[in-house]
Amino acid sequence: MQPQATMHDKPQSVIETGTRKKHIPLPTNYRKARKYVQMAVEERRNIDSLLEQDRHFRTGRTIVGRVLCNLPKIDAIYSQLDLATKEPGLTPWVARVLISELLYGSGRLVSNAPAVECIRKYEEQLRTLHAAVEQTSVECTGTKGVSFTIPRFVRINTNLLSIPDAKSILAQENWTLVEEKFDDYRAFLARVKALSQSEYIEDFHFPEMLVFPNGAKQFWGRARHLRDQFILQNKVRVSAVTYLLRPRKKSVVLDMCAAPGLKTTHLATLMKNKGRIYAVERNSDRYATLTQMVSSYGVIKTIHGDCLTVTDADVPGVEYILVDPSCSGSGMHQRLYEKEQQDEQRLHKLAGLQYKILSHAMNEFRNARRIVYSTCSISTTENEEVVHGVLRHNGHFRLLDARQELGKEWLNVGSPDFVGIGERCLYARTDDDLTIGMFVAVFERCPEGVLNEVYLAHEKQKQSYERLALMRCKQPVLDVINDEDWRPEAPFAGKRKVATMEQPTHDQVTEESAGKKLKSKHTDEQVEEKLAGKKSKKGGKTKLPE
């Protein structure tokens, strides 16, 4: 007779009630985090507004943000442990959320649900892999040299808080300011990499931008009481773009693709909340996010519509325009780690849209004096090629040197393949600048009577083509090169093409000679008749020789 099983012999995740087994569900926080993380990654949706609206998921932003920030490392650990094979019944996205909480969150898992118990079995192996991943960059995804220690950038809202007051608040929160000043950008970046978990430093380029270590994202996820005074944003995604636009107080600004509104609100801060900013957004959901973000700024007026249909009459007096259109996002952190084949057809469609928006900005608004074009892409198709295209067809705007406009050292510029363009544009590279990948170009309206050099070169080339086409219309088809005809003044600068001529046959030559003789005979007879007529008019008779 076998011993009777007791409750302690059962798995902790299953309790037997009579003849029925009670299943312990996964906690709501883990379940909802799985939903939002999967939505953000697979559907590439903006989940910020959804998290704000979900009142029953108060810790949602912290848990979801923790997973997304550490996702490359979590994916590497998940793959090396081969959980998909060992635990086929475990949902991959649930596993990622639980691994994140165990290794990057509180360090422990709550509940005895089956999925939680499954992850607990591998806790020792997970911590071993975690230690190995933290020491080296992940190469399993094909991206080499990209470090995971990307810092956290936080901007002080100077409309509400001065920089000294902001530092005082951070000191009360036990943060230590690194007061060292740097003249060299590389030395600054080296110090950023060495920040301890309790230190922060002022940014090298922008005074109200503060740089925190990567682990600070957990603090800022919980610090809801500081959300108005401190704004979490990427350095180059917002600050570099708005500083390069450089609008004056009381000026009129147009943000053509404004949602979610971080750049728009920063522009309002730079303008001291004086003047007018028109913020345009086409997508309904993103427009709702935009209106919520800018609601406290009286200087900002939102427009729900397509920026390509906005006219000068709709936004009178616009002087400064920000063009940050939809792009492939190839510079975003997550894309840097993904093995994603480049879709050339999609890139060209995006580049076509970007060209249309930028051209519309240059031609529709007659008072526009400065335009900044930016993308979070590292593809030349969406960047240098678009810039070259608009300059070639719009001579009244010229490209400025963005590094000179920034006024401080910057490491990366555009491709040398685009002479006169690449060296004037800025790139942010994750490996160097510890930010997302980014591209920025600055345009300025040319003085009256001046055209940009790209446009002039294009027009000169067009005229040469037109002259060549005209020459070909007037002359026979040119398809033979005469090696003996070397004429410096010839249009082909040397060996000139001459027309192909058919050699006449012997019969053709004979017929032509006979025709000429007959024509000559008729001509002699006509001459004699004319001479006879002239003499008869004089009344005299002239005897013609026999």
Side-chain angles (χ1 to χ4, degrees):
M1 183 176 180
Q2 296 182 355
Q4 186 177 1
T6 64
M7 183 180 296
H8 298 288
D9 297 324
K10 301 287 184 182
Q12 293 184 6
S13 59
V14 178
I15 300 177
E16 194 169 302
T17 307
T19 59
R20 184 181 177 184
K21 295 180 180 179
K22 183 180 179 182
H23 179 74
I24 300 178
L26 189 68
T28 302
N29 281 349
Y30 297 156
R31 182 165 44 82
K32 289 197 171 187
R34 188 276 311 163
K35 180 182 77 171
Y36 288 120
V37 169
Q38 185 174 2
M39 190 183 299
V41 177
E42 291 186 353
E43 301 178 20
R44 296 178 178 173
R45 290 178 59 183
N46 184 349
I47 60 173
D48 289 342
S49 59
L50 298 177
L51 289 172
E52 289 290 343
Q53 295 168 9
D54 196 337
R55 298 181 180 179
H56 301 289
F57 191 30
R58 294 183 178 180
T59 59
R61 185 179 292 275
T62 303
I63 297 175
V64 172
R66 188 180 295 138
V67 177
L68 293 176
C69 287
N70 296 289
L71 191 57
K73 290 185 280 188
I74 294 170
D75 283 344
I77 294 170
Y78 181 81
S79 299
Q80 292 179 31
L81 191 56
D82 198 17
L83 274 179
T85 303
K86 293 178 181 177
E87 303 293 340
L90 180 63
T91 305
W93 288 110
V94 171
R96 289 180 173 93
V97 170
L98 297 177
I99 291 172
S100 173
E101 284 301 291
L102 183 64
L103 301 179
Y104 303 102
S106 61
R108 62 186 182 85
L109 298 175
V110 298
S111 173
N112 294 324
V116 176
E117 289 295 314
C118 181
I119 292 297
R120 282 200 183 109
K121 288 192 307 183
Y122 299 97
E123 181 173 354
E124 185 176 347
Q125 298 177 55
L126 287 169
R127 294 194 182 278
T128 302
L129 289 171
H130 174 234
V133 166
E134 287 294 337
Q135 293 177 1
T136 58
S137 296
V138 173
E139 298 181 0
C140 62
T141 54
T143 302
K144 298 183 179 181
V146 179
S147 172
F148 287 117
T149 56
I150 302 299
R152 197 70 173 105
F153 294 94
V154 179
R155 176 172 63 85
I156 301 170
N157 185 353
T158 53
N159 276 346
L160 302 178
L161 197 66
S162 68
I163 295 177
D165 289 343
K167 293 177 180 177
S168 299
I169 292 175
L170 292 171
Q172 295 172 11
E173 298 287 343
N174 297 319
W175 286 101
T176 303
L177 172 64
V178 177
E179 297 184 358
E180 186 177 358
K181 301 298 181 181
F182 298 89
D183 295 325
D184 180 70
Y185 185 36
R186 293 185 186 275
F188 166 78
L189 292 171
R191 185 63 183 89
V192 169
K193 293 178 182 179
L195 287 174
S196 70
Q197 292 303 308
S198 62
E199 293 180 327
Y200 74 98
I201 191 172
E202 290 184 6
D203 184 64
F204 182 81
H205 297 99
F206 313 116
E208 72 271 24
M209 180 68 70
L210 306 178
V211 189
F212 290 80
N214 184 263
K217 59 182 177 287
Q218 299 178 23
F219 166 78
W220 290 108
R222 298 190 303 268
R224 291 180 175 270
H225 60 291
L226 301 177
R227 184 168 294 181
D228 293 334
Q229 295 96 330
F230 297 89
I231 301 172
L232 279 67
Q233 63 181 46
N234 192 276
K235 170 183 174 178
V236 295
R237 191 78 176 92
V238 177
S239 294
V241 174
T242 51
Y243 267 102
L244 286 169
L245 188 60
R246 202 182 299 161
R248 300 173 303 167
K249 287 191 297 184
K250 298 183 180 180
S251 57
V252 183
V253 179
L254 172 62
D255 188 350
M256 297 188 74
C257 308
L262 287 172
K263 290 184 289 297
T264 314
T265 54
H266 191 210
L267 286 169
T269 301
L270 293 177
M271 295 166 59
K272 306 300 182 184
N273 210 23
K274 295 180 180 179
R276 172 62 73 190
I277 300 176
Y278 295 100
V280 183
E281 179 54 47
R282 178 181 179 180
N283 181 273
S284 299
D285 293 336
R286 290 172 60 82
Y287 179 75
T289 303
L290 172 65
T291 54
Q292 183 178 4
M293 173 74 73
V294 306
S295 58
S296 60
Y297 294 84
V299 70
I300 300 174
K301 179 181 179 180
T302 59
I303 299 175
H304 187 197
D306 188 346
C307 64
L308 289 173
T309 64
V310 175
T311 65
D312 198 36
D314 299 324
V315 288
V318 165
E319 302 168 271
Y320 301 90
I321 303 177
L322 176 59
V323 179
D324 185 25
S326 299
C327 67
S328 64
S330 56
M332 302 299 287
H333 288 157
Q334 181 60 28
R335 304 283 177 87
L336 295 174
Y337 296 99
E338 292 177 350
K339 282 185 176 180
E340 193 177 78
Q341 289 186 347
Q342 202 173 47
D343 187 345
E344 293 294 336
Q345 185 176 4
R346 178 171 178 263
L347 279 181
H348 283 94
K349 286 183 178 179
L350 286 169
L353 174 63
Q354 293 152 0
Y355 170 86
K356 284 182 181 179
I357 296 175
L358 192 50
S359 293
H360 185 70
M362 289 182 172
N363 292 289
E364 179 60 35
F365 310 102
R366 61 179 181 272
N367 293 323
R369 62 172 69 180
R370 194 178 187 94
I371 300 173
V372 169
Y373 171 70
S374 67
T375 71
C376 53
S377 169
I378 54 176
S379 167
T380 57
T381 303
E382 300 175 88
N383 299 332
E384 288 94 335
E385 289 186 21
V386 171
V387 171
H388 181 264
V390 294
L391 288 174
R392 186 173 57 181
H393 299 128
N394 299 278
H396 56 297
F397 273 87
R398 61 188 176 187
L399 184 66
L400 300 181
D401 190 325
R403 275 202 291 195
Q404 291 183 5
E405 296 299 312
L406 191 62
K408 284 197 173 183
E409 181 185 2
W410 194 268
L411 298 178
N412 296 295
V413 293
S415 170
D417 296 338
F418 296 84
V419 179
I421 293 176
E423 65 271 20
R424 300 182 187 180
C425 301
L426 294 186
Y427 266 100
R429 306 283 185 184
T430 303
D431 294 352
D432 297 328
D433 302 294
L434 306 180
T435 67
I436 65 169
M438 189 76 183
F439 172 85
V440 186
V442 184
F443 301 91
E444 183 182 65
R445 186 179 290 274
C446 295
E448 188 175 353
V450 177
L451 299 172
N452 74 65
E453 60 271 23
V454 178
Y455 177 83
L456 291 174
H458 179 59
E459 288 299 308
K460 185 177 180 181
Q461 187 182 45
K462 280 172 56 179
Q463 291 173 7
S464 66
Y465 287 156
E466 289 170 359
R467 285 197 299 268
L468 180 60
L470 186 61
M471 289 169 57
R472 287 182 173 176
C473 290
K474 291 181 177 180
Q475 296 180 8
V477 179
L478 308 177
D479 55 5
V480 175
I481 295 179
N482 184 355
D483 292 333
E484 297 179 357
D485 189 7
W486 183 272
R487 302 180 184 178
E489 70 278 6
F492 293 93
K495 297 179 180 179
R496 184 169 63 89
K497 292 185 178 181
V498 297
T500 303
M501 304 296 292
E502 290 189 8
Q503 297 297 327
T505 62
H506 176 71
D507 294 338
Q508 290 174 335
V509 172
T510 305
E511 292 177 1
E512 183 178 352
S513 300
K516 286 182 178 180
K517 289 179 180 179
L518 182 60
K519 185 177 180 181
S520 176
K521 181 179 179 181
H522 288 304
T523 303
D524 292 342
E525 292 177 352
Q526 291 173 356
V527 171
E528 291 177 356
E529 290 177 358
K530 286 182 180 180
L531 289 173
K534 287 179 181 180
K535 290 191 176 183
S536 63
K537 289 180 181 179
K538 294 179 180 180
K541 293 184 179 179
T542 304
K543 184 178 181 181
L544 295 177
E546 294 181 357

